[in-house]
Every structure is written in C-alpha cells, then in structure tokens.
Amino acid sequence: MTNYTPSSNIRLLQESATIAASARAKRLRAEGRAIIDLGAGEPDFPTPRFVIEAAHRALDAGATRYTSVAGIEPLRAIIAEDATRRRAALVDASAVVVSAGTKQALFNACFALFAAGDEVLVPTPGWTSYYEMLTIARATAVPVSGPRECSFKISAAELARARTTKTRGLILNSPSNPTGAVYSRAELQEIVAFAEDAGWWILSDEIYRGICYTGEATSLLSVAPPSGRLVVVDGLAKSMAMPGWRIGWSIGPVSLARSMAALQSHTTSNATTISQHAALSALSDTNAYRSALAEMMAELRRRRDGALVMLRQAGMEVIEPEGAFYLFIRAGQASPDNPEPGTRVAERLLDSHDVAVVAGAAFRAPEWIRVSFAAPTADVFEGVRRIVAAGIS
Ligand code: PLP
C-alpha cells in the first residue's frame, strides 16, 4: 500500500464539517435509514424555471467554450451595475470576478490578500470554511465573538480587544451562517470606521443578503470605506436556489480583481460557461428574480416561525434568525468531561432519533448545534419535534 504523507500545504487542513455531516446523512439514507436531514445548507427549492430555460437556450446557442477568466462581460456588467446602485458610486465591470461559487471567490480573496504572519479576525461562531481558507493561505484566523445577547455580533469594542500589530483584515458575514444574525447599518458603520482607522481589509460575505426576514440586509457596499479596502462576495446558491450551478463573484478594487483573476486562471479558469449564462438571466430579469425569491422566503418564514414556537415552548435556548435559514440551538454547557456538548448531541440525534444536524464545533461554538430549515417543511417540523423530544439542553 502506498503511504501518503500530507504536504505541509495540507497538513493543518480540516475537511468541511458541514459537508461531512451532510455526506453522513446521505450515506445512512442510502443504507435505508429514514434520516431527516437538517444538516444541509442548501435550499430544498428547485432552481426557478426561467433560469433553467435560459441555460437550455445558452446550450443550444453553443455556450460550451471557455470564457474570459473573470467571466462573460454582460454578467460582470450587470453585477457591477447593481453594485453601483448600492455603493452610489461607479463600480466598473473590471472590479468583478465571476467564480465557481462564492466559496472560490472567498478563497481567491483570502489567498490574494493575506499570507504567512497575517492575522485575520473571524466573527465567531462563523462559517467553517473561513478558518480553513485562511489556514491554506498560511494566515492565522483569529476568532472574535460579541455578547451572546447580541447573537454574538461583534462591535468596535471586540475588535479593539482582538487587535494586534499583525492584524490585517476582518471577515464579515451578514446575515450570518450559522447564527442568522444581521448587522444594522449603524453597526456596520462602526465596524467599518474601526477597520478603516486600523488600515485593515474587510472581506464581506453577503451570500445570504437576500434571505432576510426583517427587510433586505445592508450590503457593505453601501457603507464602503473611503480607502476602498473592501471585497464583497456574493452568489446565487442560496437566493436563487442554484447551489449546484457554482456561480459566485467578488467585487473589489480593480488591481486586486486582476490578481484574483490571475490566481483563478491557474486553478479553475472561468466559472462554467452555461452557468454564467443562467446567472445572467437570473440577474437580468429582476421581476422574475424577485418573485422567485419572495415565494421561497414565504415558505422559509413559515418554517422559521413554526420551529421557533416549538423550540421556545420547550424552553430551548435558540437564537432567533433574522436572516439565512438556520436555527442555532444551545446544546449544553461545556465541561472538562464534555468539552463539545454540541458534538455529543448531534451524534445522539443522528444515532437515536434519525435527525442530522451540524455540531457547533464546525463553527467554533462547541456548545451549540445548527439546524437547517432549508429542508421540506414537513421534515423541518418533524425534525424539530424530535429534537424537542430528545430534550437536548
Ligand atoms: N458563504 C457562506 C456563509 C455559506 O454558508 C456558503 C455555503 O454554505 C458559502 C459561502 C458558499 O457558497 P457557494 O455555494 O456559492 O460556494
């Protein structure tokens, strides 16, 4: 048997815990267990018909070749137009790089902005891949948390405490995966002012911006720092139920966009051509986009509200999500004997109650579990009923 020793590039890397949890649920299902999967972070809705039809048309028209690395011009232009509206200042299409999902846009940004010796603040609980992407870039992810009663949202006070001479940047994610917390304009302004003063880059992941139950979440583009040290990433996986199409993008200073495109030119080249045409149709037909999103939001809201009632009636500690589609539930108090109560509870829910959730350790919050309500409504309510019955916290 060949013995593989991981290279120093990969040695510190952890597999994506969210994808691993989902894969485990799928495996058990394939073995015949009736698993309710509340682990997956992808909408259970189909991609809207008008987008699928546009993809068919693009295929028939021969959209099967490479495109320029940063994406087809009309797609970059429409993304730039939308950014211009939000920023109230011209954003040129050359500031946009279309990538194979928001994940690649984030990776390009982390790799192009940060390197060995740099510290980057990551609001925690935070999405699992931020920590790992920074590790791949050999930078150090520094978790920073606000108070529990503010859904862990950070402010200038926490930034000041976490700051060192090595801090180079900050990641923001509003609405947040996993807490669903949404930052107000005033909160963002305070953070931007602090980062600007400190000379940091801000990397704002806005993939859940359209999925907000309190009106549309504020984009960092509309409170952009005067220095322009801002990269906004977004995509269609969540808001248009297009996770498998792999379309995301970044908007940042043109010189940085060029570097990110150069990096992408040596890894994946352009995002899939057919998907780019589908994305163009999604973003061009604003009425169809809005109505597809509104339909999905109405259903997500029903699930969110219903699940919250069940959890609260049972006396469970849950963060009320203002955005995204996750319930973040406290699973117990960590102790030397049980340092990760969330992990134990997630295992018990899967093994004894056939419900898959993600342990909070994936988000550096070991006392919590994340329950996705991007699953069929009946599954969400039955899954939450089982969680309540299991009496986790
Ligand atoms: N950012 C956050 C916060 C996410 O939750 C996800 C997916 O779960 C992504 C980025 C990745 O999005 P994409 O599928 O567009 O790569």
Side-chain angles (χ1 to χ4, degrees):
M1 206 175 69
T2 310
N3 241 348
Y4 158 67
T5 311
S7 73
S8 62
N9 290 334
I10 207 90
R11 206 162 292 148
L12 295 173
L13 193 67
Q14 312 272 337
E15 181 192 11
S16 164
T18 48
I19 290 179
S22 187
R24 187 153 177 235
K26 282 191 182 122
R27 210 167 41 244
L28 289 175
R29 252 191 198 154
E31 287 167 11
R33 291 255 305 269
I35 303 292
I36 292 183
D37 185 2
L38 304 185
E42 61 177 322
D44 57 306
F45 304 91
T47 298
R49 197 67 226 162
F50 79 101
V51 178
I52 291 176
E53 281 163 9
H56 280 293
R57 282 196 303 275
L59 254 181
D60 288 340
T64 55
R65 310 183 75 113
Y66 293 135
T67 70
S68 64
V69 169
I72 54 174
E73 284 312 315
L75 179 57
R76 294 173 80 197
I78 204 162
I79 292 166
E81 262 168 45
D82 179 61
T84 297
R85 263 192 301 278
R86 272 183 284 135
R87 188 162 194 169
L90 184 69
V91 176
D92 193 77
S94 55
V96 176
V97 180
V98 177
S99 296
T102 310
K103 214 175 221 180
Q104 189 182 25
L106 279 162
F107 179 79
N108 287 345
C110 286
F111 211 74
L113 286 171
F114 309 118
D118 295 342
E119 291 181 358
V120 182
L121 306 183
V122 182
T124 300
W127 184 51
T128 189
S129 292
Y130 300 139
Y131 308 96
E132 303 303 327
M133 285 181 188
L134 289 167
T135 302
I136 300 172
R138 301 196 180 225
T140 305
V142 178
V144 46
S145 302
R148 157 69 190 89
E149 56 281 12
C150 300
S151 306
F152 299 108
K153 281 192 286 187
I154 55 156
S155 66
E158 286 80 32
L159 296 179
R161 277 198 291 275
R163 172 185 196 166
T164 75
T165 52
K166 293 180 181 163
T167 314
R168 295 283 173 273
L170 163 71
I171 293 182
L172 284 175
N173 174 217
S174 171
S176 152
N177 176 6
T179 62
V182 175
Y183 285 76
S184 69
R185 177 173 295 276
E187 287 166 340
L188 291 176
Q189 278 164 336
E190 181 188 298
I191 292 170
V192 167
F194 189 96
E196 189 69 347
D197 193 48
W200 297 344
W201 279 91
I202 299 178
L203 176 48
S204 178
D205 178 354
E206 305 190 352
I207 192 168
Y208 293 101
R209 195 168 48 84
I211 301 178
C212 184
Y213 308 98
T214 52
E216 195 174 276
T218 305
S219 167
L220 257 282
L221 282 169
S222 66
V223 289
S227 70
R229 281 188 299 263
L230 169 70
V231 187
V232 170
V233 298
D234 202 343
L236 293 173
K238 317 292 175 178
S239 56
M240 270 302 96
M242 293 174 69
W245 299 72
R246 311 308 302 132
I247 289 289
W249 55 83
S250 56
I251 304 163
V254 173
S255 52
L256 173 66
R258 272 199 214 109
S259 289
M260 289 167 65
L263 172 62
Q264 189 167 297
S265 76
H266 293 297
T267 51
T268 57
S269 291
N270 60 274
T272 304
T273 306
I274 307 154
S275 294
Q276 289 191 58
H277 285 276
L280 177 60
S281 87
L283 297 177
S284 304
D285 193 339
T286 37
N287 285 339
Y289 182 105
R290 280 204 199 106
S291 87
L293 180 58
E295 209 175 296
M296 185 167 79
M297 284 300 292
E299 195 55 39
L300 287 174
R301 184 187 291 278
R302 250 194 304 280
R303 295 173 190 170
R304 179 193 85 132
D305 293 351
L308 278 173
V309 168
M310 290 164 79
L311 291 165
R312 287 197 176 125
Q313 271 173 359
M316 288 192 169
E317 184 177 346
V318 56
I319 295 181
E320 176 167 330
E322 291 182 302
F325 36 61
Y326 306 107
L327 297 157
F328 210 48
I329 304 173
R330 183 124 191 276
Q333 172 82 43
S335 66
D337 287 347
N338 185 12
E340 290 186 9
T343 307
R344 297 292 84 75
V345 164
E347 283 166 0
R348 185 156 64 82
L349 286 172
L350 188 58
D351 293 342
S352 310
H353 303 271
D354 286 352
V355 183
V357 302
V358 179
F363 313 99
R364 309 263 170 128
E367 294 187 343
W368 297 74
I369 56 169
R370 189 196 75 177
V371 174
S372 168
F373 52 94
T377 305
D379 284 5
V380 172
F381 290 147
E382 174 57 18
V384 171
R385 192 195 65 71
R386 290 187 197 177
I387 291 168
V388 165
I392 59 167
S393 53

